[in-house]
Amino acid sequence: MSFLELIEERPGAAELRVASYRMLGLKRGATCVDVACGAGHAVAELAKKGLKVTGVDADPDAIEAARERAPGAMFHVAHSDELPLEGESMDGYRALRLFHLLEDSAPTVAEAYRVLRPGGRIVLGGQDYGFVLIDSSDRDLTDVIRLGLESRTVSPRAVRTLRDVLLDTGFTDVEVAVHTEVVTDYEQMAPQLKSAAEAAVDKALITQEDAAGWLREQAGRGRRDRFLAVIPTLLVGARR
């Protein structure tokens, strides 16, 4: 939960949420479900905009935290491909930071189609780990370590397929936008860098010595204000 809170409270995350709300384009009084709602940041913000929001997450701890953040909203512990919602009951559907965790996006998108009313809006999104950029003096080693980061997720490049999945499911008016977060604060990224290097070692892509040297370089960049990471997030919107 502390990791989820850290992600959602970064300045770039707040901007991403706002961009997703604009793409949803819902008016006051509309119904909306936020799937993989985490600790409820988006649910709380959408509720303040006058929407009737339901949050869904498979993690009971996340739902407990979300209920504290948005006590007036409805919440369910459920998986994204089996929502406890009636068909055609929602004007909007939002799901970010979910699809890299799924082996197959199609059942989740099909379930979104089921619960949306005709004309309802959907916004999906997340990071494509194949596009993450980290500056380093050793670019080849950095590319291999990025593969280690990808290995920590089930489908690290799933979001690039979402336009296809939406169209195949029957959604129309599909649009794709890219939200880019630029991080120059090394401490903000340090846990992810360590995790990526450890994963690359675990997968026998690099040696422990390689990982230690790369992490020392990144920490040194942080001390000299030379750290740079660029993290693109794709947002894909459509209409049912």
Side-chain angles (χ1 to χ4, degrees):
M1 284 306 304
S2 60
F3 181 67
L4 289 175
E5 296 278 358
L6 178 64
I7 289 176
E8 290 292 357
E9 291 173 4
R10 282 163 33 179
E15 294 173 5
L16 176 64
R17 292 197 301 273
V18 170
S20 73
Y21 307 155
R22 284 198 299 265
M23 189 174 281
L24 272 175
L26 298 178
K27 298 180 180 180
R28 293 183 66 88
T31 56
C32 180
V33 59
D34 188 39
V35 177
C37 67
H41 291 73
V43 173
E45 290 169 352
L46 289 169
K48 288 181 180 178
K49 293 179 179 293
L51 274 63
K52 300 174 183 176
V53 193
T54 299
V56 177
D57 202 287
D59 184 353
D61 291 336
I63 291 297
E64 183 178 348
R67 283 195 175 106
E68 293 181 4
R69 177 166 277 109
M74 178 73 70
F75 290 97
H76 298 285
V77 177
H79 291 282
S80 60
D81 58 356
E82 193 172 0
L83 300 177
L85 302 173
E86 294 183 4
E88 300 186 1
S89 61
M90 292 287 150
D91 298 307
Y93 177 106
R94 178 185 181 274
L96 272 64
R97 298 196 179 92
L98 168 64
F99 294 93
H100 66 290
L101 303 173
L102 305 178
E103 291 185 2
D104 185 1
S105 300
T108 287
V109 176
E111 183 70 344
Y113 192 93
R114 181 187 71 82
V115 303
L116 276 172
R117 296 189 177 102
R121 291 284 301 172
I122 183 171
V123 175
L124 311 177
Q127 292 177 10
D128 187 315
Y129 289 85
F131 294 144
V132 173
L133 180 154
I134 303 170
D135 192 18
S136 170
S137 60
D138 191 332
R139 296 176 184 175
D140 291 338
L141 177 59
T142 301
D143 287 343
V144 174
I145 289 175
R146 183 173 48 75
L147 292 176
L149 178 63
E150 291 189 42
S151 74
R152 288 289 172 95
T153 63
V154 177
S155 301
R157 304 186 181 193
V159 293
R160 69 179 65 180
T161 71
L162 290 178
R163 181 179 183 273
D164 282 352
V165 177
L166 285 165
L167 289 169
D168 291 344
T169 305
F171 285 93
T172 61
D173 302 330
V174 181
E175 58 179 313
V176 180
V178 180
H179 174 87
T180 303
E181 181 181 3
V182 177
V183 182
T184 57
D185 180 357
Y186 165 77
E187 295 299 332
Q188 184 175 320
M189 287 288 295
Q192 292 95 317
L193 299 177
K194 185 173 184 292
S195 176
E198 290 175 349
V201 173
D202 291 344
K203 294 291 183 179
L205 300 174
I206 61 173
T207 67
Q208 187 67 57
E209 183 179 357
D210 290 332
W214 186 80
L215 290 171
R216 281 196 300 272
E217 186 217 4
Q218 294 301 315
R221 285 176 170 273
R223 289 191 296 271
R224 303 192 313 275
D225 190 26
R226 295 297 184 273
F227 178 78
L228 174 65
V230 181
I231 308 170
T233 298
L234 272 65
L235 290 177
V236 189
R239 187 177 304 280
R240 186 209 194 283

